[in-house]
C-alpha cells in the first residue's frame, strides 16, 4: 500500500518517489552530476525516449539533453536503441551502476594507498630532518621579539627560561595583549640572575610572574639567555650587548637536548624566589635549609614517618610536609629518594 505525503508544491508523492530521491543521492556519490542523474532516471522510468521527449521532461534544451545523453553513453549508462531510430535506452542499473561503483572504489583505494605512502614519507623526513632544518637564524629586534612571543604563546605544556639582568628582547607593554592571550594551563619554570632585581621594574615583573603561579628561582648568574617551549623548540641569543639583536631557534635535536640539560642543571642549583606583600625579595638569601629543615631531613633519612617526625620535633604534620616540599623545590627533585641523595651530595647531612 502506497503511503502519500505532500511535497513543497502541495502535490502528493509516494514512498516510492522518496526512494527515488535516495537513489539520486547515491548516483551523485558515484560521479554523476544532477542532469545526468535526471536523464538516467527518466530513461529507467520510460524504458526508451527520444531527445525531444526527454528534453521536455527534463526542462532542458535539446542540444544540452543530447550532450547529457552522450556523457551517459560514455559512462556505459545509456545507449542508442537498435530497434527504434532516434531513441535512447538506459543500460541495466545492476550492471552499469555496479561497474561505476567498482571503478570508484578502486580509485578510492588508490587514493588511500597514496595518502599512506605520503604519510610514511613525511614521518621519515620528520624523524631524520636535514641539518639545515634543525636551526633558524632570526635577525632584527622586531623579528626576534615576534619569534619569542610565537614560541611562548605556542607552548601547550611548559615553558622553561633562563633570564639575564639585561635581556636583549623582552615582551614589553606593546605585547600586553599577546601576553594576556597566553594559553592557560601552561607551566612556567624561570631562573633569573640576581641582577634582574636591580633593573627598573624588575621586581614588579617578578611579582607579576609569581602572581601567575609561575615558578621562579634565582642564581647569582645564568650562563646564557634561553627559552624552551614543550622541550621541542628553543631560542638562544647569537649576539652580545650593543649589537643588532639576533637569535638562534633550535628544533628537536641533540643540541636542543643539551640546552634542556643546561636549564635543568641551573634550575637544580637555583634558590626559589619569594616576594613579601610589600614587594621586597624574601627567601633568596639562604642557599640551603635552616636548622629545622636539617633536623627533619635527618629523621626522615633515619626511617621515621612524617607523623613521627612532627611529634619528635613538636611540629605540626602539615608544617613538616610543607618544609619537605620546600626542600624538594629547592633541589629540583620530584621524589623523596632523590631529595635524600641531594642532601648527601650537598653536605646537608653526614654520611
Amino acid at each position: 500500500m502506497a503511503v502519500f505525503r505532500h511535497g513543497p508544491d502541495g502535490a502528493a508523492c509516494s514512498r516510492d518517489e522518496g526512494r527515488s530521491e535516495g537513489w539520486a543521492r547515491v548516483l551523485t556519490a558515484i560521479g554523476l552530476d544532477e542532469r545526468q542523474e535526471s536523464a538516467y532516471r527518466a530513461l529507467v522510468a520510460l524504458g526508451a525516449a527520444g531527445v525531444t521527449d526527454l528534453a521536455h521532461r527534463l526542462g532542458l534544451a535539446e542540444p544540452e539533453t543530447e550532450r547529457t545523453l552522450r556523457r551517459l553513453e560514455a559512462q556505459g549508462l545509456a545507449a542508442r536503441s537498435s530497434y527504434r531510430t532516434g531513441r535512447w535506452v538506459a543500460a541495466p542499473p545492476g550492471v552499469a551502476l555496479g561497474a561505476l561503483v567498482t571503478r570508484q572504489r578502486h580509485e578510492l583505494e588508490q587514493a588511500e594507498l597514496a595518502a599512506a605512502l605520503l604519510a610514511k614519507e613525511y614521518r621519515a623526513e620528520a624523524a631524520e630532518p636535514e641539518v639545515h632544518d634543525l636551526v633558524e637564524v632570526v635577525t632584527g629586534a622586531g623579528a626576534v621579539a615576534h619569534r619569542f612571543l610565537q614560541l611562548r604563546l605556542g607552548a601547550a605544556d611548559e615553558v622553561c627560561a633562563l633570564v639575564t639582568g639585561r635581556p636583549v628582547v623582552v615582551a614589553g607593554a606593546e605585547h600586553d595583549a599577546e601576553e594576556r592571550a597566553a594559553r592557560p594551563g601552561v607551566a612556567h619554570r624561570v631562573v633569573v640572575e640576581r641582577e634582574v632585581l636591580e633593573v627598573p621594574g624588575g621586581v614588579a615583573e617578578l611579582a607579576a610572574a609569581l602572581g601567575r603561579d609561575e615558578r621562579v628561582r634565582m642564581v647569582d648568574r645564568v650562563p646564557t639567555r634561553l627559552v624552551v617551549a614543550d622541550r621541542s623548540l628553543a631560542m638562544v641569543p647569537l649576539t652580545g650587548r650593543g649589537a643588532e639583536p639576533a637569535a638562534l631557534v633550535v628544533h628537536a635535536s641533540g643540541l636542543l637536548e643539551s640546552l634542556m640539560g643546561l636549564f635543568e642543571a641551573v634550575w637544580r642549583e637555583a634558590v626559589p624566589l619569594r616576594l613579601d606583600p610589600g614587594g621586597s625579595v624574601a627567601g633568596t638569601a639562604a642557599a640551603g635549609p635552616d636548622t629545622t629543615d636539617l633536623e627533619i631531613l635527618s629523621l626522615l633519612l633515619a626511617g621515621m614517618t612524617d607523623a613521627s617526625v612532627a611529634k619528635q620535633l613538636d611540629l605540626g604534620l602539615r608544617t613538616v610536609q610543607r618544609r619537605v616540599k620546600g626542600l624538594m623545590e629547592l633541589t629540583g627533585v620530584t621524589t623523596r629518594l632523590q631529595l635524600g641523595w641531594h642532601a648527601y651530595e650537598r653536605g646537608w647531612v653526614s654520611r
Side-chain angles (χ1 to χ4, degrees):
M1 178 179 67
V3 178
F4 290 87
R5 57 186 173 82
H6 290 279
D9 58 355
C13 54
S14 69
R15 181 180 295 169
D16 293 337
E17 291 179 1
R19 284 196 292 267
S20 296
E21 293 175 0
W23 271 105
R25 291 190 291 271
V26 171
L27 297 181
T28 300
I30 62 175
L32 299 185
D33 61 27
E34 184 178 353
R35 290 178 179 175
Q36 291 168 354
E37 289 176 10
S38 300
Y40 182 72
R41 290 171 57 202
L43 287 177
V44 170
L46 297 173
V51 173
T52 302
D53 294 337
L54 194 59
H56 179 73
R57 183 182 182 93
L58 298 177
L60 300 174
E62 290 188 17
E64 183 60 33
T65 302
E66 188 167 359
R67 283 194 294 270
T68 300
L69 289 170
R70 288 177 179 173
R71 294 192 188 102
L72 290 175
E73 183 180 29
Q75 293 174 308
L77 294 176
R80 292 178 176 83
S81 174
S82 57
Y83 299 101
R84 303 178 65 178
T85 304
R87 296 178 70 83
W88 291 76
V89 296
V95 176
L97 295 180
L100 280 180
V101 169
T102 300
R103 184 177 67 186
Q104 188 115 348
R105 183 184 297 117
H106 176 71
E107 291 175 352
L108 287 174
E109 290 173 351
Q110 293 299 310
E112 290 177 352
L113 178 60
L117 291 174
L118 287 173
K120 183 178 180 180
E121 182 178 349
Y122 177 81
R123 287 194 297 270
E125 289 293 330
E128 299 180 4
E130 297 292 338
V131 173
H132 55 72
D133 291 332
L134 296 178
V135 294
E136 305 172 40
V137 178
V138 183
T139 57
V144 173
H146 179 71
R147 199 71 175 93
F148 171 78
L149 282 173
Q150 273 189 332
L151 191 144
R152 277 202 61 193
L153 301 183
D157 298 316
E158 183 184 48
V159 173
C160 301
L162 301 179
V163 181
T164 64
R166 300 180 185 275
V168 174
V169 177
V170 294
E174 69 273 15
H175 298 303
D176 284 347
E178 289 90 341
E179 290 293 329
R180 288 195 296 270
R183 187 177 304 178
V186 178
H188 285 74
R189 289 192 293 155
V190 182
V191 181
V192 299
E193 62 183 19
R194 197 170 299 277
E195 189 180 353
V196 170
L197 299 175
E198 302 173 8
V199 176
V203 173
E205 290 186 10
L206 291 174
L210 292 170
R212 294 191 295 267
D213 293 329
E214 296 183 12
R215 299 171 63 190
V216 181
R217 295 188 178 187
M218 180 170 289
V219 293
D220 287 335
R221 183 168 295 279
V222 298
T224 183
R225 294 180 297 276
L226 170 68
V227 59
V228 184
D230 295 337
R231 297 177 178 265
S232 62
L233 200 63
M235 190 171 183
V236 292
L238 279 179
T239 51
R241 298 173 182 177
E244 181 184 20
L248 194 67
V249 179
V250 183
H251 295 255
S253 61
L255 176 57
L256 179 60
E257 292 175 5
S258 298
L259 291 173
M260 195 64 210
L262 172 64
F263 172 82
E264 294 292 358
V266 176
W267 175 262
R268 284 193 297 269
E269 297 299 323
V271 179
L273 175 67
R274 296 179 179 86
L275 297 175
D276 63 24
S280 60
V281 179
T284 61
D290 59 22
T291 302
T292 302
D293 289 332
L294 293 177
E295 290 177 341
I296 292 173
L297 269 175
S298 297
L299 294 177
L300 288 176
L301 290 172
M304 296 181 68
T305 64
D306 289 358
S308 298
V309 172
K311 184 177 181 180
Q312 182 72 24
L313 298 179
D314 195 21
L315 298 172
L317 176 60
R318 290 187 177 179
T319 299
V320 172
Q321 293 172 338
R322 175 175 54 79
R323 283 179 171 267
V324 172
K325 182 179 179 181
L327 290 171
M328 293 174 69
E329 291 182 351
L330 179 62
T331 53
V333 300
T334 57
T335 68
R336 292 192 175 197
L337 179 62
Q338 293 173 318
L339 175 60
W341 184 85
H342 278 277
Y344 277 123
E345 287 294 312
R346 298 186 183 201
W348 291 347
V349 292
S350 60
R351 294 185 183 274

